[in-house]
Amino acid sequence: MFAKLSALFIAAAVATGVAAAPTYKNKALVARGQSFDHWGGYSSLDGFDNFYGSDDFSHFHNFNQVVVKQDSELVCHTEQIEIIQQRLAVLQEMAKKIITEQVCEVETQTIVFQQYYASLGGFSHDLTRSSGRHVGYDNSIVSHYGDFYNFDETLSTHDFGFSGHDIGSNYYVPSSNWNQDSSPSSVGSAYQAAQAASFY
């Protein structure tokens, strides 16, 4: 169930978006070919490139899927949209909690959030089928959801034992809900409507 909610969270986060961030001429963030290891002299960014690599800031270009489970029939079920929105709001606030409690420098907070936000955009391309990738989730990564907290209810700090390069190596594709005849148009309309709404 959580995996299905995670997929929806990513779609909703991308669809709702945020207003365009200001453009900075100095030290502008770029998606590829930019190292952020010790960027700006911040030790909190040491090893940043080890996760996805300096050539793939948002893990979109070097994302390799190994589909280990693919269901031929639709396995999701319709839930009240408010229930979905509640759970996505929890995941959204959890991301904010992690960034604000476990990163001290605002510059590092900014960079790591932009990486997180940009990586969600990859799933948006999956949903609209513009990426050419399967729509699903990495079940091994999802399995760490219960490891966020210690027994005393503080945020855990132990290493989960994976890097960004591992994401996609245990991919589950839970449903086949794309209709080649009607979905390109209907999904395009849904995406455009959500994008327009996000800038009001």
Side-chain angles (χ1 to χ4, degrees), residues 128 178-192:
T128 60
W178 182 266
N179 182 313
Q180 191 57 45
D181 295 326
S182 61
S183 293
S185 175
S186 61
V187 171
S189 295
Y191 178 81
Q192 290 174 2

Side-chain angles (χ1 to χ4, degrees), residues 78-108:
T78 300
E79 187 56 76
Q80 286 183 336
I81 195 63
E82 186 175 6
I83 300 300
I84 303 303
Q85 290 170 318
Q86 287 172 351
R87 280 143 183 80
L88 299 182
V90 170
L91 294 174
Q92 172 184 293
E93 296 307 307
M94 184 63 170
K96 294 178 186 178
K97 179 180 177 70
I98 291 168
I99 290 169
T100 57
E101 288 190 4
Q102 295 191 323
V103 179
C104 293
E105 295 85 9
V106 68
E107 295 81 4
T108 303

